[in-house]
Amino acid sequence: MSEFPWDAASATGVGSHPGEDHVETLRMVFGELPGLPYLPELPGRGVGADMIGRTASLLVDMPVEVRPSGWRVADRPGRDMRRARDHLTRDLDALEEVAVGFEGRLKIQVCGPWTLAAAVELRHGDKILADPGAVRDLSESLAEGLALHLDDVRRRVPGAEVLVQVDEPGLPAVLAGTVPTASGFGRLAAVEAPVAADRLGVVLPAETFTIVHCCAPGVPLEVLRTAGARGISLDASLLRRRDEDRIGEAIEAGTALFLGVVPGTDVRLPDLGVVAKPALELWGRLGFTPARLAEQVVLTPACGLAGASPAYARAALARCREAARVLREDPEEERG
């Protein structure tokens, strides 16, 4: 029996989708990816539906609001928080409706603490990232809010085994010290890797299969593994040969790889063999047992699909699902 909570040759999506019809998008996701569906995000609906606002709505005792410069910590919950919570509540209501009788794996997504800290400003100052105490408070608030969110999802879809994806596209910049200050004239100090792993680890829920997604170059694999991520989601097109030793170590240690293999915006989708090729070739170079490939690697789009057309979003998920079946075949066979 596989050690991973999904069937071999699985595919899923990253999270965001185009459009404003959350019910139809949910139905499409469950239809195209019945083995590993997820709760999609539709940032096109406006304030509070974006990645930052959606996750900020989960924070406990840390209200935020929108200012001209972006999201900022507020004195009390206001209109922006209500909008964000209303969007999420409607999405969960729709999930409960669409997933009636569903039994299987279900993925939800939240923004990670470091990406959130690099985006949200303090009440009267710089970004949360500039204040280690504020980062600690943020991570603890997010952990508490995520636990409540998980309980809500499990109550609404009792037949689901819920997986959590934590989105950290901003983490490489946090570690490199390239996040701009609120004024834009300076850069915030780099965060040390052990601190980054510790704060991220606080958020990752215990006894829940967690995946950390990072679609930026230079994914900090060791930080994610140290934090406790059991799966790592990344864009295959950004991988470099120098990354492969660390990827091999992660795979050997039992970490699942969610590999982005189709673009997140409209293109002419390639044939199945071409879509599956990055996974097949990487596995071959690393020298792992072919039988493990379809169990340990899940195919996804390279990143979210918010910038795509609805037709392309559907086609991209279908192509990932179909290409994942290729991973069950002999990866030593030559495919175009």
Side-chain angles (χ1 to χ4, degrees), residues 264-287:
T265 53
D266 293 39
V267 296
R268 181 178 179 181
L269 288 167
D271 294 337
L272 297 183
V274 176
V275 172
K277 192 173 183 179
L280 295 168
E281 292 190 340
L282 175 64
W283 208 258
R285 288 195 299 270
L286 294 174

Side-chain angles (χ1 to χ4, degrees), residues 11 23 52 167 193 201 264:
V23 177
I52 301 300
D167 294 322

Side-chain angles (χ1 to χ4, degrees), residues 89-235:
T89 297
R90 283 193 291 270
D91 289 349
L92 291 171
D93 289 345
L95 174 66
E96 191 172 0
E97 174 188 335
V98 171
V100 168
F102 175 79
E103 294 184 355
R105 280 71 58 183
L106 171 67
K107 182 168 69 72
I108 62 173
Q109 304 83 224
V110 296
C111 182
W114 291 109
T115 299
L116 207 59
V120 179
E121 296 177 3
L122 296 164
R123 287 183 184 86
H124 306 291
D126 215 320
K127 295 177 179 177
I128 291 176
L129 181 61
D131 183 339
V135 172
R136 182 181 62 250
D137 292 344
L138 173 69
S139 59
E140 291 172 357
S141 173
L142 178 55
E144 185 177 350
L146 176 55
L148 294 171
H149 182 44
L150 263 171
D151 287 345
D152 191 14
V153 173
R154 288 167 175 153
R155 177 183 59 80
R156 291 170 179 268
V157 193
E161 178 180 357
V162 184
L163 285 62
V164 174
Q165 175 185 304
V166 177
D167 294 322
E168 282 286 18
L171 183 53
V174 167
L175 293 167
T178 58
V179 176
T181 58
S183 69
F185 295 116
R187 295 291 181 269
L188 296 174
V191 172
E192 294 182 356
V195 175
D198 179 68
R199 292 294 94 198
L200 177 57
V202 166
V203 173
L204 302 186
E207 300 180 6
T208 299
F209 196 100
T210 53
I211 305 123
V212 178
H213 169 72
C214 182
C215 54
V219 176
L221 295 166
E222 283 303 313
V223 170
L224 306 187
R225 289 178 57 201
T226 301
R230 297 173 66 184
I232 295 174
S233 172
L234 45 79
D235 181 350

Side-chain angles (χ1 to χ4, degrees), residues 71 193 246 328-329:
W71 287 96
R246 291 179 297 125
R328 269 197 299 229
E329 303 170 14

Side-chain angles (χ1 to χ4, degrees), residues 242-327:
R242 63 176 178 269
D243 300 323
E244 292 187 2
D245 285 345
R246 291 179 297 125
I247 290 174
E249 292 169 2
I251 291 171
E252 186 64 36
T255 304
L257 192 62
F258 284 60
L259 203 57
V261 290
V262 298
T265 53
D266 293 39
V267 296
R268 181 178 179 181
L269 288 167
D271 294 337
L272 297 183
V274 176
V275 172
K277 192 173 183 179
L280 295 168
E281 292 190 340
L282 175 64
W283 208 258
R285 288 195 299 270
L286 294 174
F288 289 113
T289 305
R292 289 177 58 186
L293 172 59
E295 294 182 356
Q296 200 161 351
V297 175
V298 175
L299 298 188
T300 74
C303 202
L305 295 165
S309 66
Y312 177 83
R314 181 188 293 273
L317 296 185
R319 190 57 50 93
C320 288
R321 184 192 72 241
E322 295 159 355
R325 296 171 186 157
V326 177
L327 305 189

